[in-house]
Each structure stands twice: as C-alpha cells, then as structure tokens.
Amino acid sequence: MIKIKNLHKKFGKLTVLDGLDLEIDKGGIFAILGPNGSGKTTLIKALLGMVIPSKGDISIDGNSVLKKWNYRNELNYLPQIANFPANLSVIELIKMVKNLRPKTPNEKELIDLFGLNEFLNKKLGNLSGGTKQKVNLVLTFMFDSDLIILDEPTTGLDPIALIHLKNLIKKEKKSGKTILLTTHIMSVVEELADEIVFLLDGKIYFKGSVEKLKKQTSQTNLEHAIANLITKQNA
Ligand code: ADP
Ligand code: MG
C-alpha cells in the first residue's frame, strides 16, 4: 500500500531522514518507534505532504504522492500536536471539520464513547490536555478511510480512554484498515502492533513483529529489546 524509496529530509544542516526505505502492506497495525527526535513525525508528515522530502519518493497504491493532494481525502490523520482554535467550542470545531471533508461523518458514537457530551459547548482553550486529545481522536475517527495515521494518539489519555482507543484501533483493523501509529507506551505496541518499524539515524533500523525483535535481541521484555537495539547501534 505504501512504498517509500530512498527518502531524505534535511532541516538546514540537520539530516533527519537519510535514505529511508520502507514498505507497508495493506491491512494491519504498524507501530513506528524510535527515540525522541528520530524523525517519526517528519516521516509521517512527508507521507501527508506536509514536509517536502529533500530526495526520494513516496507512493500510495502505486501512485507517487509528491505534489499531489487528493489522496489526503482517503486517509485519516491524528496530529501529534493539535493546535485547536482556543475560542471555538468543541461542537463548533467538530461541525467545522465535518464541513471541510467530503465524507459522511459518524461522530455521535465517538462523542459518547469518550464521554465528551458534557464538554461540547466548552471552549477548546479551557479543556485539559487529555480532553483535547479525546476531541482530536473524535475528529480523526469520525470518517471512514482505509489508511489511518496516528501520531502519539495515547498522549494524555486516562486509562479508560486508553482502553477505548485500543478497542477502536482493533475494530478498524478487523475491517481491513491499515493503521500507522507512533507511541511511547510499549504495552500498546505489544497489544496492538502486527509489526514494529524502528527508526534510528534516519533509517529503518528494524522492521518485523514484536516476537522477531525479542528473538533477535534475546530479550523477553519489549522495552529491553528496544533499548538493546539502540545500544547495539551505538556500540
Ligand atoms: P520524533 O517525532 O521522532 O520525535 P521529529 O520528526 O519531530 O521527531 O523531529 C526530528 C528532528 O527534526 C528533531 O531534531 C526536530 O527538532 C527536527 N525538526 C522537525 N521539524 C523541523 C522543522 N520544521 N524545522 C527544523 N527542524 C525540525
Ligand atoms: Mg513526533
């Protein structure tokens, strides 16, 4: 479904992506992991056309996405940092996003699921971080798309909301969707990910299942397996 070839991205002198190759098959949950600043968000933004690669190509379903925008209608994206207009209420923002996208939304169920009914008329600027993240999730999941890209969806969520989010992601997978997500919560990776994609030094340093990573690093604990990958690289 997604093919990334020889992708390079520099910000000034800083090389963030350095000849990255990656193929993601259709269907399943892919966890993009890597230390802070390793380029996960940059990779995701390149996929969305929000970051222009210095070199290389990205294609979705066989078509290059560079300089295109229509393909964005066919994917759902949750940004890592949602800069919502502080003066809008939750319901105003939901209505606005509904009007922006040429798709049929299904927001009611999600508003109920995340317990947002009592917040609908509150201004976004007055919400706690976790509640804002729940709004962010409603905006992302209320449309039906084959590709779902979630940049740190777990940030700020309480345990109940985290369970709802995990169930939501599992449900999407069951209906054949492709889900890319980044997270620092290893229990989420263990529970959800069919494959780990590990980014380090601007390249894909590991791609495979949690089991494969544990075997390769001779670790039984995922956090230790990841730490082992990083220290081996630096040795
Ligand atoms: P991650 O999501 O893995 O934490 P990012 O992709 O956000 O990492 O960032 C990778 C590196 O690129 C960081 O060093 C960050 O400071 C830098 N960076 C990201 N976006 C920009 C930008 N627009 N301008 C300059 N540097 C950037
Ligand atoms: Mg990031």
Side-chain angles (χ1 to χ4, degrees):
M1 172 172 222
I2 300 172
K3 257 191 194 153
I4 298 176
K5 261 194 230 147
N6 196 30
L7 196 68
H8 289 256
K9 181 64 194 178
K10 277 187 178 182
F11 292 110
K13 280 187 181 158
L14 177 73
T15 299
V16 178
L17 305 177
D18 191 16
L20 182 148
D21 294 305
L22 175 64
E23 287 192 22
I24 302 273
D25 296 332
K26 200 173 157 55
I29 301 171
F30 298 82
I32 301 173
L33 307 181
N36 294 325
S38 57
K40 303 178 295 292
T41 296
T42 303
L43 173 63
I44 285 176
K45 285 189 172 175
L47 200 54
L48 295 161
M50 296 163 71
V51 153
I52 311 298
S54 317
K55 207 163 95 181
D57 193 33
I58 302 172
S59 64
I60 298 183
D61 293 334
N63 302 308
S64 172
V65 303
L66 301 181
K67 297 185 180 150
K68 308 260 183 16
W69 53 87
N70 274 339
Y71 73 98
R72 292 187 204 163
N73 287 332
E74 303 308 319
L75 59 85
N76 294 350
Y77 165 55
L78 177 119
Q80 176 171 13
I81 297 164
N83 279 316
F84 296 140
N87 277 321
L88 281 189
S89 71
V90 173
I91 194 71
E92 282 167 340
L93 178 67
I94 292 173
K95 278 186 185 154
M96 195 179 91
V97 174
K98 273 165 62 174
N99 287 330
L100 284 172
R101 290 199 73 176
K103 282 197 160 186
T104 313
N106 165 33
E107 77 279 17
K108 294 247 161 36
E109 220 176 285
L110 293 162
I111 290 171
D112 289 342
L113 181 70
F114 287 111
L116 287 174
N117 282 299
E118 56 179 301
F119 296 98
L120 290 180
N121 293 307
K122 293 224 161 105
K123 297 256 187 277
L124 288 153
N126 295 335
L127 299 183
S128 74
T131 307
K132 263 191 226 166
Q133 185 68 349
K134 290 175 189 172
V135 175
N136 204 9
L137 288 166
V138 171
L139 297 178
T140 304
F141 282 96
M142 69 180 177
F143 299 103
D144 186 23
S145 297
D146 286 343
L147 176 59
I148 302 170
I149 300 174
L150 308 168
D151 199 351
E152 313 251 357
T154 53
T155 305
L157 294 182
D158 59 58
I160 306 283
L162 187 58
I163 291 173
H164 291 320
L165 171 65
K166 287 190 285 192
N167 288 337
L168 209 53
I169 293 173
K170 285 179 195 166
K171 201 173 97 188
E172 296 285 9
K173 175 188 159 174
K174 254 194 192 151
S175 62
K177 309 289 180 69
T178 307
I179 300 115
L180 300 189
L181 63 91
T182 72
T183 180
H184 291 292
I185 306 196
M186 287 308 116
S187 61
V188 169
V189 177
E190 295 231 60
E191 195 176 330
L192 296 181
D194 296 303
E195 281 207 1
I196 291 175
V197 172
F198 192 79
L199 230 88
L200 199 64
D201 294 338
K203 295 189 181 71
I204 303 299
Y205 195 66
F206 173 89
K207 183 172 180 283
S209 66
V210 170
E211 281 318 306
K212 182 179 156 193
L213 176 64
K214 286 180 176 173
K215 230 183 208 164
Q216 188 173 314
T217 54
S218 313
Q219 300 289 329
T220 51
N221 172 291
L222 182 56
E223 264 145 20
H224 290 152
I226 298 272
N228 188 279
L229 264 189
I230 298 172
T231 45
K232 264 199 190 139
Q233 166 70 5
N234 292 334

